[in-house]
């Protein structure tokens, strides 16, 4: 039997022209240098019983507290390291260390006014993603190499790992008795210590454990050359509006916020944005 040509069930989509253009108006095909996402993953993690570390002043407040209540959690910074997976070509281990600021209300006695303190929590995470292979070294005019013709410190053609994290959800916190010495699992950068107000101390009598929820997306990107259709240059279509130094002139251009005083009724809601809606015609 003769071989029949293979046709894909999912044909390549044709590029859509921008607004104001019609199909067939592509002026040329251009080659661009861009970061292509080779692999990515998303996670939803509930981090339970994370130890919170404090500076000396805030730890003294915790030692005298009878209860704590979590207020919010913020991402201070995240370190990302990338290394190839041994015997698994094209795959890379992405090691992430998240530094969280945990803001708490500490109560010295039941019914008393709380004292707000902030501390530090650390969480480490590793994922394995595909990033393809590149066996060349990349040199460019802005690489910063100033060692002459032989430069041993220039970067190799490794992919780049990026991490996106939404604002953490502060779920709960509780006091616990100290049962032994404890310390963060990694070295704390000086910028993080400055953010929380100084060096952390080991808890003497009481410690705090917090539970937070995080949403993350991890991507591995590699610099590639892509051929794309070109329609036109990105020429601005409107002029820049200059403003005077009078703040009242700016305020007078703002429309009156009628909806803030008279909230819209359900019948005013756009019907196309309504999913499983009931019938409100009665």
């Amino acid at each position: 039997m003769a071989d029949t040509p293979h046709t894909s069930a999912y044909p390549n989509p044709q590029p859509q022209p921008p607004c104001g253009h019609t199909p067939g108006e592509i002026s040329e095909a251009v080659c661009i240098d861009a970061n292509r996402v080779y692999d990515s993953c998303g996670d939803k993690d509930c981090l339970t019983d994370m130890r919170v570390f404090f500076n000396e002043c805030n730890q003294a407040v915790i030692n005298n507290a009878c209860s704590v209540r979590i207020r919010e959690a913020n991402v201070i910074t995240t370190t990302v390291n990338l290394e190839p997976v041994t015997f698994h070509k094209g795959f890379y281990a992405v090691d992430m260390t998240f530094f969280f600021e945990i803001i708490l209300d500490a109560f010295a006695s039941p019914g008393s006014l709380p004292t707000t303190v902030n501390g530090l929590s650390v969480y480490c995470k590793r994922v394995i993603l595909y990033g393809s292979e590149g066996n060349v070294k990349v040199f460019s005019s802005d690489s910063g190499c100033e060692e002459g013709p032989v430069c041993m410190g220039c970067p190799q053609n490794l992919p780049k790992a990026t991490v996106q994290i939404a604002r953490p959800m502060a779920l709960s916190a509780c006091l616990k008795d100290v049962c032994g010495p404890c310390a963060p699992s990694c070295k704390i950068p000086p910028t993080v210590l400055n953010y929380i107000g100084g060096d952390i101390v080991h808890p003497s009598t009481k410690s705090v454990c917090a539970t937070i929820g995080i949403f993350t997306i991890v991507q591995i990107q590699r610099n590639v050359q892509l051929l794309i259709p070109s329609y036109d240059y990105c020429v601005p279509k409107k002029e820049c509006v200059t403003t005077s130094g009078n703040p009242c002139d700016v305020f007078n251009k703002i429309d009156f916020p009628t909806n803030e005083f008279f909230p819209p009724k359900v019948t005013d809601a756009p019907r196309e944005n309504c999913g499983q809606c009931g019938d409100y015609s009665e």
Side-chain angles (χ1 to χ4, degrees):
M1 180 181 295
D3 293 336
T4 57
H6 174 73
T7 58
S8 173
Y10 303 94
N12 294 328
Q14 297 298 321
Q16 297 297 320
C19 183
H21 292 260
T22 58
E25 287 188 335
I26 298 176
S27 59
E28 60 177 333
V30 297
C31 183
I32 66 169
D33 197 47
N35 286 326
R36 175 185 172 183
V37 177
Y38 273 76
D39 201 2
S40 64
C41 64
D43 268 339
K44 169 184 171 184
D45 298 311
C46 185
L47 312 180
T48 60
D49 292 334
M50 295 178 59
R51 183 63 60 88
V52 184
F53 300 94
F54 303 93
N55 59 23
E56 184 175 3
C57 179
N58 289 339
Q59 182 61 50
V61 175
I62 296 300
N63 290 338
N64 295 323
C66 67
S67 64
V68 293
R69 179 181 62 199
I70 192 168
R71 294 187 62 178
E72 60 180 291
N74 303 306
V75 181
I76 302 175
T77 188
T78 302
T79 61
V80 184
N81 294 316
L82 183 76
E83 62 179 18
V85 177
T86 308
F87 305 119
H88 206 172
K89 290 185 178 181
F91 285 83
Y92 297 84
V94 183
D95 292 302
M96 300 157 283
T97 304
F98 300 93
F99 298 92
F100 299 104
E101 178 195 27
I102 307 297
I103 301 178
L104 304 160
D105 286 334
F107 297 86
S109 61
S112 63
L113 294 176
T115 301
T116 302
V117 297
N118 70 326
L120 172 68
S121 285
V122 182
Y123 173 66
C124 298
K125 180 182 179 69
R126 165 176 277 205
V127 299
I128 306 295
L129 293 174
Y130 178 74
S132 189
E133 294 183 86
N135 295 320
V136 298
K137 288 187 176 182
V138 178
F139 299 88
S140 64
S141 59
D142 59 353
S143 60
C145 294
E146 301 178 353
E147 302 177 9
V150 179
C151 181
M152 303 301 295
C154 291
Q156 293 183 343
N157 188 19
L158 293 176
K160 179 178 69 173
T162 61
V163 180
Q164 303 175 51
I165 178 170
R167 184 174 181 177
M169 297 181 61
L171 301 177
S172 67
C174 63
L175 284 174
K176 289 190 176 182
D177 294 330
V178 176
C179 57
C182 61
S185 57
C186 63
K187 184 178 179 180
I188 309 299
T191 53
V192 175
L193 294 177
N194 292 335
Y195 189 91
I196 64 170
D199 294 334
I200 61 175
V201 297
H202 298 291
S204 55
T205 58
K206 295 179 182 178
S207 63
V208 174
C209 288
T211 299
I212 65 175
I214 61 172
F215 299 89
T216 56
I217 293 178
V218 186
Q219 297 176 333
I220 284 192
Q221 304 174 355
R222 185 177 287 277
N223 190 258
V224 296
Q225 289 72 46
L226 298 174
L227 191 66
I228 64 170
S230 173
Y231 297 95
D232 201 350
Y233 288 105
C234 300
V235 181
K237 301 299 183 182
K238 66 177 182 179
E239 296 181 357
C240 297
V241 179
T242 58
T243 59
S244 64
N246 190 343
C248 289
D249 290 342
V250 179
F251 177 76
N252 289 334
K253 295 180 181 179
I254 301 176
D255 295 333
F256 190 86
T258 305
N259 289 340
E260 299 295 329
F261 293 90
F262 305 97
K265 304 182 296 295
V266 67
T267 54
D268 297 332
R271 302 300 296 178
E272 60 271 17
N273 296 331
C274 202
Q276 301 294 330
C277 293
D279 187 1
Y280 297 101
S281 60
E282 296 181 357

